[in-house]
């Protein structure tokens, strides 16, 4: 079990005057950060035939779903059918497969949609060990053939930059004194806080922008660079009825209880107002019991001793740390915030065990057992805090609230970006920091990830691959979740590979329509949807033509619906969309429509899309 990470992070406050490295590694891509985005990036580059050095600050890959403890995927309500990358579905499948190899499921429990925890916040809630196993399976072939070099427990401390190009990055072993210099043709920053941006001199933004700068309806009147979203140390509790497992009162318990207002009440910004959750029963207007909110093991689904009791992960406003930041503050201040955040989470655990109102009356659930082994730490808290907001690059495109908010859209989709590199869906959900009023979670329309948000304004071989893309403080609240971060990492890696294959820079791909179209087709061939169709999954014969056509500016099926409806007859609206072609396609599509016009009414929409895609792809 790992030594408490916060003690190892004292390395941050030590001066590092060393100018040499103990060893040098070279690769096509350096992926700094082994979270959701970093793992997706490394996997995509390796599957493209490239060599990769992947670094991670903890001893677990997986970020949000492992070392940060949030092993209940923040997916959207379409995810079981569509709206995620092919590789993300592979990850989800392997997580479920873990339980077939490492547990004895109850009769009838095994299925393609198994939710091991039955948590009502997500269709897939599981133990971090399941995700670790899945990632090990995904990376195993590349560990064996030598194309992946993995550096766990390493943190970037220095970078060499020549004008707009990163030449190398030096990492320090957090468990020793070794310094490793990594030289790579492309550098992807998939760290949780955008650590490489200041080291490389890449322009970036932190905290909350002003409404004057972004034009966002809910932006602050005055910019607040120090106001990033709160961060959290989740923990796991096992329910052991009739037993007592209370922890000792943690440091500053009274202070945290007072200023954090420990409670099971939650405020909704609709007609429900304040809702009081009950522990094992569903309270009035509540979506479900507090206990099953992020439950990781539902004992009724298992028949083996290791899963004989319910296990729940606690990530609640009660243990969101709002009273200090981690970005661009002195190391001593960051360390103090990390320690206080751990004390806060332990305090919330203590409150649940001692002072939380019981459903049947009385206070406290001493039968809740803090499971240290689930998170792999000596105190039972996650190895690394769940980070919601990072440094964010100054990008060619910055996604704003009005681009994705359901309030500002005329149709079912968010603003369409012609350079789409993926899709996502989540509410604009901000967990406030100290001094920030809670911004009501606003529904977002199904949105796209514009390629321009992944391209820095100046740097030529550095790309963001996590939460450090071109979003604002507000839109970060929708782009920070598991499947979106995975998509960002994969798209960034495929862009780097595309550039290496053709000796290009990301800026030339983004700024050249022909190259952009070729890159988008490559994304779709990799199983990444670029346009929102809720009835077209990867593997459907119409997925490739429909997705590519939509990305290229020919979305068939109409703008009023999220469905493609491949079997429906081709419509006059479909013909109108094709006939209003951009100059690059006008001649080709004019000939196509002339040839097909006599029989277009006999075609289904799927057949029309396939035929149009084939002529445009010649």
């Amino acid at each position: 079990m790992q030594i408490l990470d916060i003690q190892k992070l004292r390395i941050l406050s030590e001066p590092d005057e060393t100018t040499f490295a103990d060893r040098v590694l070279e690769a096509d891509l350096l992926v700094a950060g082994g979270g959701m985005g970093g793992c997706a990036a490394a996997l995509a580059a390796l599957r493209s035939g490239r060599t990769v050095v992947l670094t991670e600050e903890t001893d677990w890959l997986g970020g949000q779903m492992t070392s940060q403890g949030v092993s209940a995927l923040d997916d959207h309500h379409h995810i079981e059918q569509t709206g995620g990358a092919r590789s993300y579905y592979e990850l989800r499948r392997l997580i479920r497969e873990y339980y077939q190899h490492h547990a004895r499921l109850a009769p009838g429990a095994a299925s393609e949609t198994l939710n091991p925890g039955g948590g009502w916040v997500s269709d897939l809630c599981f133990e971090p060990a399941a995700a670790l196993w899945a990632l090990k399976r995904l990376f195993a072939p590349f560990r064996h053939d030598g194309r992946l070099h993995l550096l766990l427990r390493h943190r970037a401390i220095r970078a060499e930059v020549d004008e707009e190009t990163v030449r190398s990055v030096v990492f320090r072993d957090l468990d020793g004194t070794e310094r490793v210099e990594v030289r790579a043709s492309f550098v992807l920053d998939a760290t949780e806080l955008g650590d490489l941006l200041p080291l490389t001199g890449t322009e970036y933004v932190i905290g909350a922008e002003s409404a004057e700068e972004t034009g966002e309806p809910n932006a602050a009147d005055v910019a607040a660079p120090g106001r990033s979203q709160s961060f959290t140390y989740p923990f796991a509790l096992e329910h052991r009825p009739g037993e007592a497992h209370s922890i000792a009162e943690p440091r500053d318990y009274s202070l945290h209880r007072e200023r954090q207002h420990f409670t099971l009440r939650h405020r909704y910004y609709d007609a429900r107002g304040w809702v009081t959750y009950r522990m094992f029963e569903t309270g009035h207007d509540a979506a479900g019991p507090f206990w099953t909110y992020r439950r990781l093991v539902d004992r009724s689904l298992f028949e083996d001793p290791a899963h004989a009791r319910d296990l729940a992960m606690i990530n609640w406003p009660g243990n969101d740390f709002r009273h200090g930041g981690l970005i661009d503050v002195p190391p001593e201040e960051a360390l103090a915030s990390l320690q206080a955040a751990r004390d806060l989470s332990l305090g919330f655990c203590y409150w649940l065990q001692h002072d939380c109102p019981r459903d049947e009356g009385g206070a406290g659930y001493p039968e809740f057992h803090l499971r240290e082994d689930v998170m792999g730490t000596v105190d039972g808290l996650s190895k690394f805090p769940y980070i919601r907001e990072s440094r964010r690059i100054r990008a060619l495109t910055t996604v704003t609230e009005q681009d994705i908010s359901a309030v500002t859209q005329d149709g079912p989709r968010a603003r369409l970006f012609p350079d789409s590199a993926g899709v996502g869906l989540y509410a604009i959900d901000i967990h406030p920091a100290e001094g920030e009023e809670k911004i009501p979670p606003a529904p977002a329309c199904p949105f796209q990830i514009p390629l321009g948000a992944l391209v820095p304004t100046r740097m030529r071989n550095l790309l963001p691959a996590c939460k450090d893309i071109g979003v604002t403080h507000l839109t970060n609240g929708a782009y920070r979740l598991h499947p979106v971060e995975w998509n960002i990492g994969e798209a960034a890696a495929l862009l780097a590979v595309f550039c290496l294959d053709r000796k290009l820079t990301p800026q030339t791909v983004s700024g050249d329509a022909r190259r952009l179209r070729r890159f988008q087709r490559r994304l779709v061939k990799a199983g990444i949807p670029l346009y929102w169709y809720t009835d077209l999954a990867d593997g459907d014969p119409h997925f490739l033509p429909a997705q590519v056509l939509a990305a290229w500016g020919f979305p068939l099926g109409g703008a009023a619906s999220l469905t493609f409806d491949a079997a429906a007859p081709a419509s006059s609206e479909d013909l109108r969309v094709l006939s209003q072609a951009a100059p690059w396609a006008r001649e080709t599509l004019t000939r196509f429509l002339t040839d097909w016009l006599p029989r277009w009414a006999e075609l289904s929409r799927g057949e029309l899309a396939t035929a149009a895609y084939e002529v445009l792809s010649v």
Side-chain angles (χ1 to χ4, degrees), residues 103-308:
R104 189 164 68 250
L105 293 167
S111 73
E112 293 182 354
T113 58
L114 170 68
N115 188 350
W120 52 262
V121 74
S122 171
D123 289 332
L124 188 52
C125 303
F126 50 89
E127 298 154 282
L132 289 169
W133 181 85
L135 290 172
K136 185 177 180 180
R137 290 282 299 272
L138 289 172
F139 283 118
F142 311 107
R143 298 290 301 275
H144 293 154
D145 69 16
R147 286 192 290 121
L148 171 63
H149 199 115
L150 180 61
L151 297 176
L152 296 176
R153 299 288 291 154
H154 280 71
R155 181 182 177 88
I157 58 172
R158 192 169 63 251
E160 179 187 348
V161 180
D162 180 9
E163 295 183 348
E164 290 94 16
T165 302
V166 181
R167 298 301 182 190
S168 69
V169 181
V170 177
F171 294 83
R172 182 171 173 181
D173 179 0
L174 292 177
D175 294 322
T177 59
E178 184 185 51
R179 290 161 181 80
V180 182
E181 181 180 358
V182 181
R183 300 171 184 170
S185 299
F186 258 86
V187 174
L188 273 59
D189 187 346
T191 61
E192 297 300 327
L193 294 170
D195 294 342
L196 298 192
L197 303 185
L199 290 179
T200 59
T202 302
E203 293 79 5
Y204 64 89
V205 180
I206 61 173
E209 300 91 341
S210 68
E212 181 180 1
E213 180 180 357
T214 66
E216 295 173 308
N218 285 296
D221 293 334
V222 179
R227 191 179 293 161
S228 295
Q229 288 195 63
S230 57
F231 62 92
T232 308
Y233 277 102
F235 54 93
L237 294 177
E238 186 176 72
H239 187 215
R240 301 176 73 99
E243 300 180 12
H245 295 277
S246 296
I247 63 172
E249 181 175 319
R251 179 170 38 198
D252 295 327
Y253 172 68
S254 297
L255 168 66
H256 289 307
R257 178 179 177 178
E258 177 65 24
R259 70 178 183 179
Q260 201 78 5
H261 305 298
F262 290 161
T263 180
L264 296 188
R265 296 180 74 214
H266 185 73
R267 184 182 177 186
Y268 289 93
Y269 291 84
D270 54 27
R272 290 174 293 176
W274 283 98
V275 172
T276 299
Y277 281 82
R278 297 174 67 79
M279 184 59 68
F280 298 107
E281 302 170 0
T282 300
H284 179 66
D285 280 338
F290 176 85
W291 179 252
T292 56
Y293 172 51
R294 292 182 183 270
R295 186 173 55 184
L296 307 183
V297 171
D298 176 359
R299 63 186 178 87
S300 70
L301 299 177
F302 298 91
E303 291 188 335
D304 60 292
H307 298 89

Side-chain angles (χ1 to χ4, degrees), residues 213-515:
E213 180 180 357
T214 66
E216 295 173 308
N218 285 296
D221 293 334
V222 179
R227 191 179 293 161
S228 295
Q229 288 195 63
S230 57
F231 62 92
T232 308
Y233 277 102
F235 54 93
L237 294 177
E238 186 176 72
H239 187 215
R240 301 176 73 99
E243 300 180 12
H245 295 277
S246 296
I247 63 172
E249 181 175 319
R251 179 170 38 198
D252 295 327
Y253 172 68
S254 297
L255 168 66
H256 289 307
R257 178 179 177 178
E258 177 65 24
R259 70 178 183 179
Q260 201 78 5
H261 305 298
F262 290 161
T263 180
L264 296 188
R265 296 180 74 214
H266 185 73
R267 184 182 177 186
Y268 289 93
Y269 291 84
D270 54 27
R272 290 174 293 176
W274 283 98
V275 172
T276 299
Y277 281 82
R278 297 174 67 79
M279 184 59 68
F280 298 107
E281 302 170 0
T282 300
H284 179 66
D285 280 338
F290 176 85
W291 179 252
T292 56
Y293 172 51
R294 292 182 183 270
R295 186 173 55 184
L296 307 183
V297 171
D298 176 359
R299 63 186 178 87
S300 70
L301 299 177
F302 298 91
E303 291 188 335
D304 60 292
H307 298 89
R309 295 181 177 90
D310 272 12
L311 181 74
M313 181 265 291
I314 308 301
N315 172 27
W316 186 254
N319 58 327
D320 284 353
F321 186 74
R322 311 183 184 111
H323 308 288
L326 303 176
I327 301 175
D328 293 354
V329 298
E332 297 81 2
E333 184 177 331
L335 288 166
S337 293
L338 289 168
Q339 184 62 66
R342 298 188 83 94
D343 292 339
L344 169 64
S345 282
L346 289 172
F348 191 59
C349 175
Y350 183 86
W351 179 82
L352 290 170
Q353 292 175 328
H354 289 83
D355 300 324
C356 173
R358 292 184 68 97
D359 290 348
E360 70 276 19
Y365 288 90
E367 61 266 38
F368 287 163
H369 176 216
L370 179 60
R371 285 277 302 275
E372 295 92 346
D373 60 309
V374 173
M375 298 297 175
T377 56
V378 295
D379 61 2
L381 305 182
S382 60
K383 291 174 179 287
F384 200 83
Y386 172 34
I387 301 294
R388 295 186 176 89
E389 188 171 334
S390 171
R391 298 175 180 92
R392 307 182 297 279
I393 64 165
R394 289 282 186 189
L396 298 183
T397 300
T398 300
V399 182
T400 63
E401 179 187 7
Q402 53 271 35
D403 290 331
I404 66 171
S405 172
V407 176
T408 58
Q409 309 306 314
D410 294 329
R413 297 176 180 84
R415 171 189 168 185
L416 298 181
F417 288 98
D419 63 342
S420 174
V423 299
L425 176 59
Y426 202 80
I428 302 173
D429 183 21
I430 305 298
H431 289 238
E434 188 174 22
E436 181 177 28
E437 291 295 323
K438 171 65 175 174
I439 300 169
C445 285
F447 55 77
Q448 295 171 312
I449 305 167
L451 183 67
L454 275 63
V455 180
T457 56
R458 186 177 59 87
M459 300 299 287
R460 302 303 184 189
N461 74 330
L462 182 143
L463 294 171
C466 190
K467 292 177 281 287
D468 49 346
I469 65 170
V471 290
T472 67
H473 172 64
L474 293 180
T475 53
N476 165 78
Y479 280 76
R480 63 178 170 80
L481 293 313
H482 300 79
V484 183
E485 186 184 320
W486 184 275
N487 192 154
I488 289 168
E490 184 168 7
L494 291 177
L495 176 59
V497 170
F498 188 84
C499 289
L500 289 174
D501 289 345
R502 292 163 174 77
K503 296 181 172 57
L504 300 172
T505 66
Q507 290 81 3
T508 55
V509 176
S510 178
D512 185 295
R514 186 176 182 183
R515 287 168 174 158

